[in-house]
Amino acid sequence: MSVLPPNMADFDTIYELDEEDERVVSEEHLVRYCPEPVIMRGAGHITVFGLSNKFDTEFPSVLTGKVAPEEFKTSISRVNACLKKNLPVNVKWLLCGCLCCCCTVGFSLWPVICLNKRANRSIQKLLEWENNRLYHKLGLHWKLSKRKCESSNMMEYVILIEFLPKYPIFRPD
């Protein structure tokens, strides 16, 4: 006489899943059902080559339950501190380069371009450090992305906060 209910009789039996079995979740399915990324546009009054001098520290409501508002504000404050350190130097070199542009046939703008690339790389490294420290564990990925402005054909840098897809743990290797 069996003590187990009939549905528990096959409890330890291993079944093979076919590729067309509907229980197998594909990567396209996971990406399709991820929420739209959050776009943090620059909120400063100075923009040099598409990079604004600060980002707004206001907590987006989409991230409620994903990350603490204090952590979000701390991360944005770190990005703003990096911008505050790098952008005034870029503006000074841009003004100097524009004044000397006619005499140097445009070569005086090269320092500004190099300093802007350096500022972009430092922000990208900072965001990667933040991702490794906290956000990948929470299922988020922050990155600096170049987007077209909504109001004009110009390009701007935005912070893109993407939601990482959740992989089911019951999926076989």
Side-chain angles (χ1 to χ4, degrees):
M1 191 160 136
S2 175
V3 179
L4 295 174
N7 59 354
M8 292 296 290
D10 296 336
F11 180 71
D12 59 347
T13 306
I14 298 173
Y15 296 103
E16 251 182 69
L17 295 176
D18 297 334
E19 287 297 319
E20 62 252 3
D21 193 355
E22 64 235 15
R23 290 181 287 176
V24 176
V25 179
S26 65
E27 292 234 359
E28 296 84 26
H29 177 76
L30 290 172
V31 172
R32 191 174 353 146
Y33 291 108
C34 278
E36 289 293 318
V38 178
I39 298 174
M40 298 290 300
R41 297 186 64 208
H45 59 279
I46 298 174
T47 303
V48 178
F49 291 115
L51 190 60
S52 182
N53 67 333
K54 74 175 198 171
F55 288 94
D56 194 11
T57 57
E58 184 181 334
F59 186 71
S61 61
V62 178
L63 296 178
T64 303
K66 285 285 194 183
V67 65
E70 297 82 21
E71 287 289 340
F72 176 83
K73 188 173 182 178
T74 303
S75 299
I76 292 291
S77 297
R78 283 188 184 121
V79 171
N80 286 340
C82 184
L83 287 170
K84 187 177 181 180
K85 184 178 109 182
N86 290 320
L87 232 49
V89 176
N90 292 7
V91 171
K92 291 175 188 172
W93 276 102
L94 180 63
L95 292 175
C96 181
C98 288
L99 291 174
C100 302
C101 188
C102 295
C103 301
T104 62
V105 194
F107 286 115
S108 60
L109 293 175
W110 276 105
V112 182
I113 294 170
C114 293
L115 286 171
N116 194 53
K117 286 184 181 179
R118 190 173 102 188
N120 286 345
R121 274 195 304 269
S122 66
I123 292 171
Q124 287 172 350
K125 284 182 181 180
L126 174 67
L127 291 176
E128 196 57 42
W129 178 77
E130 289 281 346
N131 283 332
N132 290 332
R133 182 184 69 88
L134 175 70
Y135 292 111
H136 281 172
K137 297 170 189 166
L138 299 175
L140 299 171
H141 180 76
W142 288 41
K143 69 179 181 179
L144 190 66
S145 179
K146 200 178 229 185
R147 292 280 172 120
K148 188 176 178 181
C149 289
E150 296 170 356
S151 59
S152 66
N153 287 337
M154 309 269 298
M155 299 293 279
E156 69 176 341
Y157 285 97
V158 296
I159 294 179
L160 199 64
I161 304 172
E162 298 173 329
F163 295 91
L164 298 175
K166 294 181 182 176
Y167 292 101
I169 58 173
F170 58 84
R171 183 176 168 192
D173 290 338

